[in-house]
Amino acid sequence: MPHPLHGHFLLDPAVTFLNHGSFGACPRPVFEEYQAWQLRLERQPVAFLDPVRGYGRWLAEAREALAAEIGAEADDLVGVTNATVALNIVARSLPLGPGDEILTTDHEYAALDKTWAFVAARRGARVVVAPLPLPLRSEEAFTEAIEARMTSRTRVLFLSHITSATALRLPIERIVARARERGILTVVDGAHAPGHIPLDLRALGADFYAGNCHKWLMAPKGSAFLHARRDRQALLSPLVVSHGWTADRAEPGPFGGTAFVDSFEMQGTRDPAAFLAVPAAIRFRREHDWDRVAERCRTLVDGVEARMAELTGLSPLSGPEFRAPQMAALRVPARGEARDLQARLLEQHGIEIPCYDWAGHRIVRVSAQGYNDRDDMDRLVAALADIFALPAAA
Ligand SMILES: Cc1ncc(COP(=O)(O)O)c(C=O)c1O
């Protein structure tokens, strides 16, 4: 029997779904709200796509609801399709030149490594990678590892709030403040953060912050945001220049939003339904006391991490305070190919979970969301014990 909350989701009950981290999963009422927006658009496209009386106003309402969740002002964020888009906007906008350095860590999402490599190659800039100490056990060691790589040429610090491959919650607050003191632009990849860890973007003070709403906030796919400090917004150019653009960034935008909001939100004909359903996702979480649900999920991940470490003798990549609350990179023996392990878990055990190699570690990344329960974790441990001929799981 799946957990009772499973009934709120559209996931196939025949699959043990332990990969919320990759693309999220959207609860039924949120998905219905998303479809209702789409129907409304199709019934009266002209009224809907009116940037002032139609979707411009509704997007502003959605931004208000999201801003309250993440400790921000609604006019300092814009809805975008995904974190990759948000971070491409930033990377491709910043005024980098020959010899400039973009400082980052060795735990970043591979697609974004490509984005910065692309930008660096065109500008004659250089990407500098700071290796993080593993296992990660202290904020001091983390901060020092990054600060040690800062030079007079460092223009940008780019780092994840929660890492993808290693499922670490990086203690970024101090290094963001240090970088800003040194005049370095700070760019945070918060793809996994909204709905997963408490966010207060005002207090963090990063220059640019990208977050996905379609992962842990459980909004429909294609809902994300880019947040920029007010004093940095003029640095950004949209990837698509359209009706909303205004050359004088000090002036309001042509549709009554700020120059920042209009130039990023009014970009040709598009379907904004996913972002318009963000308030429904926030509401769903509140109605179902999601803080408690998240705490239960954290306990599930704590348990599976401890059991696997005991069975394999392979220790976790961080202390518990630096692990993503609802996600863990479980280390397993590096036998055969990672993709074969992933296929075997799905085909023979009905478990959807990502398996890959990272820096010499074979990793099975487990996620727990409200629809998961202890049985799911038992199934995973039993399957891995079977595959690796480990002692029977406790
Ligand atoms: C750390 C990190 N950054 C960025 C992304 C990209 O997210 P999206 O595909 O929604 O743009 C991911 C996706 O898993 C991620 O884990």
Side-chain angles (χ1 to χ4, degrees), residues 2 70 144 156 170 173 176 178 205 312 358 360 370:
I70 61 174
E144 277 165 23
V156 174
L170 299 181
E173 292 75 9
V176 164
R178 293 264 174 91
T312 60
W358 182 86

Side-chain angles (χ1 to χ4, degrees), residues 21-22 82-84 109 112 160 162-164 189 191-192 212 214-215:
S22 285
N82 54 52
T84 308
Y109 188 61
L112 276 315
S160 291
I162 292 178
T163 65
S164 174
D189 176 355
H192 281 275
N212 274 333
H214 49 230
K215 288 189 192 277

Side-chain angles (χ1 to χ4, degrees), residues 232-316:
R232 297 301 196 193
Q233 290 169 7
L235 283 177
L236 299 179
S237 305
L239 300 175
V240 174
V241 174
S242 182
H243 293 298
W245 171 255
T246 173
D248 184 348
R249 311 309 302 283
E251 289 290 311
F255 300 117
T258 64
F260 174 60
V261 165
D262 278 2
S263 62
F264 284 93
E265 284 192 349
M266 301 302 149
Q267 299 186 345
T269 309
R270 66 191 186 91
D271 175 358
F275 194 77
L276 295 177
V278 165
I282 293 169
R283 222 168 29 245
F284 176 88
R285 293 165 58 88
R286 217 163 273 152
E287 285 166 6
H288 292 85
D289 198 2
W290 217 258
D291 287 347
R292 279 231 336 254
V293 174
E295 201 41 52
R296 178 175 67 74
C297 293
R298 185 194 183 117
T299 308
L300 289 176
V301 177
D302 288 349
V304 74
E305 186 181 51
R307 288 157 79 196
M308 283 307 298
E310 198 183 325
L311 283 177
T312 60
L314 298 167
S315 56

